[in-house]
Amino acid sequence: LAAVNIPCQVGGGLREDSHIEEVLSWGVERAILGTRALQDPLWLRSACERHPERIVLGLDSRSGRVATHGWLETSPQSVIEVARRAASWPLAAIVYTDILKDGMLEGPNFAALAELRSAVQTPVLASGGITTLDDVRALKTLELAGCVIGRALYEGRLDLTEIVTMVEFM
């Protein structure tokens, strides 16, 4: 946080109220909640109410179903039904990751993102498979709140400056 002057969010392993309190106390803009939030919707709702617009729901998807526990388990719940239930709470956003696309450099799951975006009013962030400037352009047309780009940046397939410049002019 000291190295950059941009809002940051933290996720991974946040399963207790004290975890959320700690990361937010660092100056983190948002806490991303996944496994515990999906197992305990009342806890998620309470976290959203205690920290309005500072909680992001991480929805990891395997074939339209919610994956948890580091993608090792797949719930019978659909991403859409979970998102709709949580959308009435003061969430900052939903970050959607298609785990079959993540890290594969084959492009995101545009159809699933479009379906999620149309199902809820909550801002949606895309994650998984974003590889080219054309992917970023296509995501922009879906009116998403943003996207997470990982491997394509690490491997030099995308240039962050070029992405930011392109998005600013869209």
Side-chain angles (χ1 to χ4, degrees), residues 16 18 25 42 46 58 64-66 72 79 86 94 102 107 117 126 149:
E16 302 294 332
S18 61
S25 77
L42 294 178
S46 174
R65 302 282 173 209
V66 175
L72 296 177
V79 166
I94 295 170
D102 194 56
R117 178 66 192 98
I149 303 172

Side-chain angles (χ1 to χ4, degrees), residues 7 48 63 71 118:
C48 291
S63 302
W71 303 348
S118 67

Side-chain angles (χ1 to χ4, degrees), residues 71-103:
W71 303 348
L72 296 177
E73 296 182 20
T74 304
S75 165
Q77 298 178 86
S78 79
V79 166
I80 298 299
E81 68 184 82
V82 171
R84 283 185 176 142
R85 180 178 58 227
S88 64
W89 306 331
L91 282 171
I94 295 170
V95 61
Y96 170 88
T97 303
D98 184 320
I99 65 175
L100 301 177
K101 295 284 193 173
D102 194 56

Side-chain angles (χ1 to χ4, degrees), residues 12-25:
L14 305 179
R15 292 188 172 91
E16 302 294 332
D17 293 335
S18 61
H19 299 158
I20 298 168
E21 299 294 334
E22 182 176 356
V23 298
L24 293 177
S25 77

Side-chain angles (χ1 to χ4, degrees), residues 67-147:
T68 60
H69 297 86
W71 303 348
L72 296 177
E73 296 182 20
T74 304
S75 165
Q77 298 178 86
S78 79
V79 166
I80 298 299
E81 68 184 82
V82 171
R84 283 185 176 142
R85 180 178 58 227
S88 64
W89 306 331
L91 282 171
I94 295 170
V95 61
Y96 170 88
T97 303
D98 184 320
I99 65 175
L100 301 177
K101 295 284 193 173
D102 194 56
M104 304 310 300
L105 300 172
E106 297 174 351
N109 186 336
F110 293 107
L113 286 161
E115 181 182 15
L116 179 58
R117 178 66 192 98
S118 67
V120 296
Q121 294 299 310
T122 305
V124 174
L125 303 164
S127 176
I130 302 160
T131 307
T132 67
L133 285 175
D134 286 339
D135 290 343
V136 177
R137 280 187 198 94
L139 290 171
K140 185 77 170 154
T141 67
L142 294 178
E143 299 182 10
L144 300 179
C147 64

